[in-house]
Amino acid sequence: MTVRHVMEIDDLGVDGLDAVLSLAARPARDAGRPLEDSGVALVFEKPSARTRNSSEMAVAALGGHPVYIQGAEVGIDVRETAEDVARTLACFHRIICARVNDHGTLERMAGALDEASVEVPVVNLLSDKAHPCQALADLLTLRQVFGSKGARARPLAYIGDANNVWRSLAIAASMAGIPTRIASPDGYGPTPEDLKLIASFGGSIETTADPGAAASGAGALYTDVWTSMGQEDERAERMAAFAGFQIDEALLDVAAPDAVVMHCLPAHRGEEISAGVVDGPRSVVWRQAANRMHAMRGLLAWLVSDQAADGGAR
Ligand code: CP
Ligand code: NVA
């Protein structure tokens, strides 16, 4: 059997992504108890409201036992190596989920388990590079609002930093056939490697430094904080660089008449998004938040199913 680690959304494969979203869309009562008698480790090196709570509740809904572990408790690379933390948690848990400062930590944890032929998947609950569980909830939300076909017909415009949330979202959208755009200031946009990976799934991606151009006629406007966790020292320069990149009422006016507004949260009203927009009638941010749990239930159920093993590994 091959274990499927989920470092980034493309680790699911196109069919896997579709399967996870289908499982996520099922009523919780139909999910059964595939995690009965199993533990799931939830390690957090950074704070979390949505990811921690949605993950705990998803594990419980599948009959499993979630164990929330603060980063300092296990002390990755402080108390013992990331590899030893992974080997230890795998003694007790069927799945290891972790939110880490450095994406490489997840790779090392997964690598240590693979090397030892320990069949426990590692799931990324946010790293500096990727946030695949958020992208699952975002795609689920777009499917609910517009339908699968409708979502593919509407450009998704991301306004802001080409960060972890954007990267997973853009890859996921490309895998699902949803065209995307990104408007970001100079120095904060996608790398050529990002664009190559996104395009490799066949979806279209347009880049611009003009928020109005990105938003024009778009079916969804999406943003995230300008200063991510771990970048606090850069806050002043980022605030200056991103001036003019707020999703506000004027920007929403140029989007499609039925456009929705998305944000992974936490939101900073008056910075990347105006209060009127995030709290307004076209905002779907609370639906996104609620979908984090459904998406996680779908992902965990898929990971312990035979389907995850089919189709190979990373
Ligand atoms: N969107 C998201 O991941 O929220 P938390 O940081 O609160 O988990
Ligand atoms: N980009 C943000 C997302 C928080 C959910 C961060 O990494 O802090």
Side-chain angles (χ1 to χ4, degrees):
M1 181 182 151
T2 317
V3 168
R4 188 79 69 114
H5 302 294
V6 185
M7 308 279 110
E8 178 52 290
I9 195 74
D10 58 334
D11 288 324
L12 299 179
V14 171
D15 291 345
L17 174 60
D18 200 53
V20 169
L21 291 174
S22 296
L23 288 170
R26 283 195 318 184
R29 64 178 175 275
D30 294 347
R33 295 176 67 82
L35 289 177
E36 188 85 60
D37 299 326
S38 299
V40 175
L42 304 171
V43 181
F44 284 83
E45 289 193 309
K46 296 178 180 181
S48 168
R50 283 146 290 271
T51 308
R52 182 214 170 153
N53 283 280
S54 61
S55 299
E56 283 207 29
M57 295 309 290
V59 173
L62 296 172
H65 183 89
V67 177
Y68 169 69
I69 304 158
Q70 291 189 357
E73 288 179 73
V74 279
I76 295 174
D77 292 330
V78 175
R79 196 160 178 265
E80 57 191 318
T81 64
E83 288 82 356
D84 286 359
V85 170
R87 290 294 303 272
T88 301
L89 294 176
C91 295
F92 315 113
H93 297 288
R94 189 146 170 213
I95 301 173
I96 298 171
C97 305
R99 169 169 286 196
V100 296
N101 295 315
D102 178 357
H103 190 82
T105 301
L106 290 169
E107 300 278 4
R108 287 170 53 209
M109 292 171 81
L113 298 177
D114 289 346
E115 199 173 317
S117 300
V118 176
E119 295 184 343
V120 172
V122 176
V123 175
N124 182 359
L125 294 182
L126 181 146
S127 69
D128 51 335
K129 275 198 187 152
H131 198 359
C133 299
Q134 179 68 51
L136 286 172
D138 297 339
L139 254 57
L140 184 62
T141 303
L142 285 168
R143 278 192 177 188
Q144 288 171 349
V145 172
F146 295 123
S148 297
K149 198 172 159 203
R152 288 195 295 272
R154 289 171 167 82
L156 165 62
Y158 181 99
I159 314 295
D161 191 18
N163 62 13
N164 46 6
V165 166
W166 166 77
R167 188 170 295 103
S168 295
L169 177 70
I171 296 168
S174 183
M175 292 169 74
I178 299 170
T180 60
R181 304 171 182 165
I182 176 167
S184 38
D186 272 357
Y188 296 94
T191 65
E193 294 75 36
D194 289 333
L195 296 176
K196 199 171 154 194
L197 177 61
I198 292 161
S200 73
F201 293 101
S204 79
I205 166 116
E206 294 172 42
T207 62
T208 175
D210 178 357
S216 180
L221 302 188
Y222 197 120
T223 193
D224 181 19
V225 294
W226 293 336
T227 304
S228 286
M229 292 180 279
Q231 298 174 332
E232 290 78 6
D233 291 351
E234 301 171 25
R235 181 172 158 80
E237 73 192 70
R238 284 175 167 271
M239 287 289 284
F242 283 96
F245 283 76
Q246 183 184 89
I247 297 185
D248 58 13
E249 287 76 356
L251 199 67
L252 185 52
D253 269 352
V254 306
D258 62 349
V260 294
V261 174
M262 305 180 75
H263 194 310
C264 59
L265 304 178
H268 295 90
R269 289 169 176 79
E271 292 185 21
E272 76 278 359
I273 195 158
S274 69
V277 168
V278 73
D279 299 320
R282 293 162 78 180
S283 168
V284 293
V285 301
W286 298 116
R287 189 191 276 244
Q288 285 174 269
N291 277 334
R292 291 296 308 275
M293 181 173 68
H294 304 305
M296 198 61 183
R297 197 178 61 244
L299 175 62
L300 296 173
W302 182 80
L303 277 175
V304 295
S305 73
D306 293 341
Q307 293 177 63
D310 296 344
R314 297 176 315 128

